[in-house]
Amino acid sequence: MSSSTTRVSLQILFSFTFIVFTVSGVKKLTVTPDRGTTLSISSSQVKGCKVCTVAVRTRQCSTSVLLKDNAPVSLEFECSRPQDVFSVEIVRIIECNTKSCNGHIIQADSNSLPLLEYKRKFTWNLKAFGPKAIQIDFTKTGLTQVNLSVTCPDRHTYTLQAFEHTGNVTVGKYCRTGTITSAQILDQGSFSVEVPAGQKLQNVQFDVSVGEEIKSLAKIKLTLPQGTSSSELFSPNYPDSFPDDDVMEWYFQVPAKQTAFVQFLNLTQPHCLKKRTAVEYHGKGRVALVRSLTDTQPTQNQGDFSLMLRNCEMDRRRASSPGLSLSIKVSASRTNSPVSCSVDLRAQRGLSLHIEKLRPASDCEMKMNSVVKERITVPSDSVTQLSFQDCFSEDLHITTMRVIECSQLKDCPKSPVYLSVPSLPSCLPANLSSVTWDLRPPEHGTVELASPKVALKQSLPGQPCNESIIKLAEDDGTTIGQFCPQGAIQKVQIHTNVSVTVFRAGGKALTPSYKPVLTASLKKEITERYIFTVSPMKDTPVLLATPGWPIGMKPYSTVSWIVNVPSKMEANLMFANLSQPKCSNRHTNIRVQRVGSVEEDYSRREDEEAEGEISVSESFYLNMSNCMPERGDFSVITKITLQKSQNLLMTIILCVVAALLVIFIIVLVVVLVVVRKKKKKLNQQVSIYNPNGTSFLPGQNGFPKSREDNESHVYADIEDTLVYTHLLRKGAEMGVYGEFDTYRPFTGQTDSQKPLFSKDSEVDNADVGVYRSFRLSAQQGPPLPNRPPSHTQTVVDNEIYQTEDPSQEELPLKLGLRLDPEGGN
């Protein structure tokens, strides 16, 4: 909506049709609200005069009425002077999106408005579109914050409120004209102007726009005038308490060559349950200062600054805890007199201070011991008096330098030296920009730099440094590289004088800290010019550049990286941005060699084609050396990535295969041994005829034992034919039977059995102890004993049973069960 349209609408809003009839103390009024506005008429009295809305046949009366529709409404006041009882409020809503708002605050009034007789309040409800605030611009007139009891000279009183979930907060009460040039409200709020009865509303416009992303309930901006001035501000809800755990911000624009002073007056502090009440000072390029409300507040002589008031979580249960409230007095004056500053560097050995003017044409005047200087150097171990007149932070560049050196290795510090950002006097008009340490080892010595807690990374494309930056350079100014925390470089060794400079990106000021940036040691000589110790982490690529990158390495210079590769991992190397010169003497070389190995895993010169990627499964050295270039430079960025070792996987597979193979061989050997033993038993089992009457199998039972040794008297079971063996023993004792050990052919036969030998077997005439061929027909042979199937081979396989006549057919011999006499014990 254009401003002209808004002006017209508000003029229509305040142009009511007003017809007054006074009948028996009743005053009548007809009003027509404008579209998009709300008209409220209310009385502060519960009893007494009432306002009534009158329709065709209805009449409703109350102490207040709210009109929204764009239609004429007839009102009747039940008293003759309603302007003494009722007040009028006209409300309009302004909303913003991410880019713009749908209107501005335009004050307009008409001479003929009968509502001029009433106390009026014009309110604009403001709605921001988060996370940005909504901003009101007062640049054309300016505002001044006043106490609630103060009446503004033009009788126009402005009020700014912020709407929070805990309730509405009155940011402040204001009068027209002053140093306040804008106000920002977070989320939602309101801006209103009140005029008393009979006071005409002045025509003023305040532009409404989308503001910043703020972290406080409101932000008030003030522009201090040239020369001497004083402004008074009040905490929100003053004189009541500032809300719990909330933040309020004031931003001061201080003219050049002026100084601002802050004082807290009428201070009341609460009892805090959590956190503390405090005030913070912020400025461009400066370190934030935090002060207690009871401390002496610092002088602001460095340009614009921001003041933030923080409340704690208050204990409101105590009656003696009034909450937080205060008034702030901000005074400004021109800096005509010089500011003295005493600098004492005796406590910091070897430290010197350097101050340089950035703009020679500025009005800044520096003096050292009452002598005007364009550049000041405060020597180490001294106390120096300085003075500054009309000097601001943007005019000066302040640095420090500390020299650490020793002529012989035995005189060097035995323990590492901590490189920390020093603390400087607060009277200096600017903050510390950078700190430099000049490290000078002996002639045959080395500077060793290490990060005490967090490893370093090199500032390169793909891994930039966004905060603190550490610059390493040789004494001739040649840059080795820029580094910052959160990397993989644990140690740097340099075989020459080196300077270490710490500064912050974007020109931000350094913060004094007792924590060391690096530790420095002066040690014995190393073979290379530079050695970096690197410990990459899994899945985090590391970029390593040659010294001086993107400029090439110095002629004949060397650099080594000791890369620690964890067990079960391997490093993948990729050489990117490789630039090779044409050499007039010697060659450039890139070599990769595992730690403890005499063989090189990789080696390339400038006249050889380099491989894109290589893999190393152990900790290794990455060595590079330069030649004397005829043209071009030698520079390279190496990307190292850790991954699980492929050799480990192959080793696991081979171990599993080997274990299975061993198990297979063991099983195979066992099977072969068992089979061999079984075969051996089968080959030895032959039947031997014993003329004493006992047949046995040597392969199964061995040769016969004596009566005392053998186990012929032990039986698993006894057949019926052996039950009466004791009768045979008795018969032998009576002489009926012969001795058991003498073979005698038995010519008789048992019941139900055929004779063992035929009548024509010539047994009767056989001599005892003389072998004769045992010839039986297949029908006459005794049955074989029960044996396993492998034992049933024919006994004719043995040459003992070969017949005398080769032409005679060999018959298988079947033996019956062996019958041993009972009682062999």
Side-chain angles (χ1 to χ4, degrees):
M1 179 180 295
S2 65
S3 59
S4 60
T5 304
T6 307
R7 184 186 300 273
V8 172
S9 66
L10 286 177
Q11 288 176 347
I12 294 175
L13 170 67
F14 305 141
S15 298
F16 299 99
T17 301
F18 191 91
I19 303 175
V20 179
F21 296 94
T22 304
V23 180
S24 300
V26 176
K27 182 175 287 188
K28 296 182 179 181
L29 173 70
T30 301
V31 296
T32 304
D34 189 25
R35 187 181 303 276
T37 61
T38 300
L39 176 64
S40 173
I41 302 176
S42 60
S43 171
S44 58
Q45 299 179 359
V46 178
K47 296 181 180 180
C49 187
K50 292 184 179 182
V51 58
C52 305
T53 57
V54 180
V56 178
R57 294 183 180 180
T58 61
R59 188 173 184 268
Q60 296 180 349
C61 299
S62 177
T63 56
S64 63
V65 64
L66 185 67
L67 306 177
K68 293 184 179 180
D69 297 331
N70 184 21
V73 179
S74 296
L75 301 175
E76 293 181 357
F77 296 93
E78 295 181 339
C79 54
S80 59
R81 290 189 58 83
Q83 61 269 25
D84 297 338
V85 179
F86 289 91
S87 62
V88 177
E89 182 179 10
I90 303 167
V91 180
R92 189 177 185 87
I93 298 175
I94 297 178
E95 295 183 342
C96 297
N97 54 30
T98 56
K99 295 181 179 180
S100 62
C101 302
N102 64 356
H104 301 292
I105 297 173
I106 301 174
Q107 298 177 187
D109 209 342
S110 173
N111 295 331
S112 62
L113 271 179
L115 287 177
L116 187 66
E117 297 179 357
Y118 293 82
K119 179 183 177 181
R120 292 168 297 161
K121 181 179 181 181
F122 303 90
T123 301
W124 292 265
N125 287 336
L126 310 171
K127 292 184 179 181
F129 188 89
K132 293 186 176 182
I134 187 169
Q135 177 174 287
I136 310 173
D137 186 9
F138 308 118
T139 306
K140 294 179 182 179
T141 61
L143 296 180
T144 299
Q145 188 171 6
V146 295
N147 202 343
L148 295 179
S149 59
V150 174
T151 301
C152 295
D154 60 359
R155 305 179 69 184
H156 284 59
T157 303
Y158 296 89
T159 303
L160 181 65
Q161 286 191 323
F163 300 161
E164 293 191 320
H165 64 279
T166 55
N168 296 349
V169 179
T170 301
V171 177
K173 177 183 176 182
Y174 307 92
C175 296
R176 238 176 20 156
T177 69
T179 57
I180 298 176
T181 55
S182 70
Q184 297 186 64
I185 297 294
L186 183 66
D187 198 14
Q188 296 188 48
S190 70
F191 181 75
S192 61
V193 56
E194 294 182 53
V195 291
Q199 176 67 42
K200 180 183 176 182
L201 183 66
Q202 296 180 358
N203 295 333
V204 177
Q205 175 174 329
F206 300 122
D207 292 338
V208 179
S209 61
V210 177
E212 309 168 6
E213 292 185 18
I214 61 175
K215 298 181 180 179
S216 54
L217 66 89
K219 180 179 180 180
I220 306 299
K221 182 178 179 182
L222 297 90
T223 301
L224 303 183
Q226 291 282 353
T228 303
S229 65
S230 179
S231 300
E232 189 175 18
L233 303 167
F234 300 91
S235 58
N237 284 340
Y238 187 86
D240 295 331
S241 177
F242 185 38
D244 256 353
D245 197 18
D246 217 333
V247 181
M248 177 67 191
E249 181 178 1
W250 293 271
Y251 182 81
F252 300 90
Q253 283 187 318
V254 183
K257 302 179 183 180
Q258 291 203 183
T259 300
F261 306 91
V262 177
Q263 290 179 288
F264 295 145
L265 307 174
N266 304 321
L267 173 63
T268 62
Q269 293 209 69
H271 294 285
C272 296
L273 297 175
K274 294 181 180 179
K275 302 182 181 178
R276 295 184 304 171
T277 58
V279 62
E280 297 180 9
Y281 294 89
H282 299 267
K284 183 179 180 181
R286 286 181 284 171
V287 179
L289 296 177
V290 180
R291 293 288 188 269
S292 170
L293 297 178
T294 57
D295 293 342
T296 301
Q297 303 305 308
T299 301
Q300 301 299 318
N301 57 0
Q302 301 180 33
D304 301 347
F305 69 97
S306 178
L307 185 152
M308 300 184 74
L309 176 66
R310 293 185 179 274
N311 197 6
C312 63
E313 183 178 330
M314 301 182 294
D315 184 4
R316 303 307 300 269
R317 297 171 296 181
R318 298 187 183 184
S320 60
S321 178
L324 175 62
S325 65
L326 75 160
S327 62
I328 306 170
K329 183 179 180 180
V330 181
S331 304
S333 62
R334 184 174 177 82
T335 309
N336 294 321
S337 59
V339 178
S340 298
C341 187
S342 178
V343 179
D344 187 354
L345 301 180
R346 291 175 297 180
Q348 305 184 62
R349 183 179 177 183
L351 182 69
S352 60
L353 176 66
H354 305 270
I355 305 175
E356 182 180 1
K357 288 178 63 175
L358 294 176
R359 299 182 299 172
S362 69
D363 296 330
C364 174
E365 183 180 83
M366 301 188 303
K367 290 183 180 180
M368 178 177 175
N369 298 327
S370 301
V371 178
V372 177
K373 299 280 188 180
E374 291 294 316
R375 181 178 299 175
I376 292 177
T377 298
V378 179
S380 60
D381 306 322
S382 67
V383 179
T384 306
Q385 295 298 325
L386 305 178
S387 66
F388 303 92
Q389 186 171 4
D390 295 334
C391 295
F392 301 94
S393 59
E394 59 269 17
D395 296 327
L396 302 177
H397 181 70
I398 300 179
T399 62
T400 63
M401 175 177 285
R402 183 183 177 188
V403 178
I404 303 173
E405 62 180 342
C406 55
S407 57
Q408 295 183 1
L409 197 60
K410 63 179 182 179
D411 300 328
C412 296
K414 304 303 179 185
S415 58
V417 178
Y418 294 105
L419 309 183
S420 304
V421 177
S423 178
L424 296 179
S426 59
C427 57
L428 293 173
N431 288 307
L432 187 61
S433 299
S434 66
V435 180
T436 300
W437 295 271
D438 194 2
L439 306 172
R440 302 172 184 174
E443 182 179 359
H444 299 289
T446 297
V447 176
E448 181 177 295
L449 301 171
S451 181
K453 290 186 177 180
V454 183
L456 303 176
K457 67 179 179 180
Q458 194 166 356
S459 181
L460 295 169
Q463 58 177 29
C465 294
N466 299 320
E467 289 296 329
S468 295
I469 299 175
I470 304 171
K471 178 182 177 181
L472 304 183
E474 299 185 22
D475 54 357
D476 61 355
T478 303
T479 300
I480 299 172
Q482 292 187 356
F483 305 85
C484 57
Q486 306 298 330
I489 301 175
Q490 295 181 323
K491 186 169 58 177
V492 181
Q493 295 169 282
I494 305 170
H495 186 200
T496 183
N497 294 344
V498 62
S499 66
V500 180
T501 302
V502 177
F503 59 94
R504 292 188 66 188
K508 298 179 182 178
L510 286 176
T511 304
S513 175
Y514 294 103
K515 296 180 181 179
V517 179
L518 294 174
T519 60
S521 303
L522 304 180
K523 295 188 175 183
K524 61 182 180 180
E525 185 178 18
I526 59 175
T527 55
E528 287 81 3
R529 192 173 184 86
Y530 317 98
I531 296 179
F532 297 82
T533 302
V534 185
S535 296
M537 293 182 293
K538 182 185 176 184
D539 299 329
T540 304
V542 177
L543 299 180
L544 305 174
T546 50
W549 192 92
I551 302 173
M553 291 176 61
K554 285 187 173 182
Y556 301 131
S557 62
T558 60
V559 59
S560 292
W561 291 271
I562 303 174
V563 183
N564 297 316
V565 180
S567 60
K568 303 179 182 178
M569 303 290 290
E570 70 176 12
N572 182 270
L573 281 72
M574 183 174 66
F575 301 109
N577 297 0
L578 176 59
S579 174
Q580 292 279 15
K582 181 180 180 182
C583 297
S584 61
N585 190 19
R586 298 188 187 176
H587 296 280
T588 66
N589 206 334
I590 302 176
R591 296 187 302 273
V592 176
Q593 184 175 350
R594 283 171 293 174
V595 176
S597 175
V598 296
E599 297 182 359
E600 294 179 347
D601 293 81
Y602 178 86
S603 179
R604 290 295 185 275
R605 305 189 317 187
E606 84 282 354
D607 53 359
E608 298 175 335
E609 184 177 357
E611 293 184 14
E613 296 184 16
I614 61 172
S615 297
V616 186
S617 58
E618 300 176 13
S619 298
F620 63 92
Y621 303 108
L622 174 60
N623 303 321
M624 297 186 187
S625 59
N626 195 12
C627 62
M628 173 57 74
E630 179 179 334
R631 64 173 181 270
D633 296 315
F634 177 53
S635 64
V636 61
I637 294 179
T638 306
K639 181 179 180 180
I640 300 178
T641 307
L642 288 187
Q643 58 188 9
K644 287 187 177 180
S645 176
Q646 299 295 329
N647 292 336
L648 174 64
L649 181 60
M650 185 60 67
T651 301
I652 294 175
I653 294 175
L654 292 177
C655 289
V656 172
V657 172
L660 294 176
L661 184 60
V662 169
I663 294 173
F664 175 75
I665 292 174
I666 292 173
V667 172
L668 181 61
V669 170
V670 171
V671 171
L672 292 176
V673 169
V674 172
V675 171
R676 184 176 181 86
K677 284 184 177 180
K678 287 185 177 182
K679 266 191 170 186
K680 187 173 181 181
K681 288 181 179 181
L682 292 178
N683 292 337
Q684 291 177 351
Q685 288 181 357
V686 295
S687 180
I688 301 176
Y689 170 75
N690 185 359
N692 292 329
T694 302
S695 297
F696 60 90
L697 302 175
Q700 182 178 3
N701 303 313
F703 289 96
K705 302 176 183 178
S706 64
R707 182 68 178 178
E708 293 78 5
D709 298 333
N710 66 19
E711 297 178 353
S712 61
H713 58 285
V714 179
Y715 302 95
D717 53 20
I718 302 176
E719 297 183 9
D720 294 340
T721 56
L722 299 180
V723 175
Y724 303 98
T725 308
H726 63 286
L727 298 177
L728 299 177
R729 185 182 297 111
K730 291 181 181 179
E733 292 175 356
M734 297 171 57
V736 178
Y737 304 106
E739 296 181 359
F740 296 151
D741 293 337
T742 303
Y743 174 77
R744 287 185 177 85
F746 182 71
T747 58
Q749 65 180 24
T750 63
D751 297 337
S752 71
Q753 282 187 349
K754 295 182 181 180
L756 291 175
F757 304 99
S758 61
K759 294 180 181 181
D760 56 352
S761 62
E762 299 179 357
V763 176
D764 295 335
N765 300 327
D767 295 331
V768 177
V770 180
Y771 175 77
R772 295 181 182 276
S773 60
F774 192 41
R775 300 187 182 94
L776 293 175
S777 64
Q779 293 77 10
Q780 294 173 333
L784 289 173
N786 293 329
R787 300 190 184 98
S790 61
H791 291 177
T792 57
Q793 70 182 58
T794 57
V795 296
V796 296
D797 293 340
N798 196 294
E799 63 182 3
I800 298 177
Y801 295 94
Q802 291 181 359
T803 58
E804 295 178 357
D805 188 358
S807 62
Q808 187 175 353
E809 181 183 0
E810 295 178 357
L811 299 176
L813 178 62
K814 296 182 179 180
L815 301 179
L817 293 174
R818 174 179 175 181
L819 303 178
D820 288 336
E822 184 181 355
N825 293 339

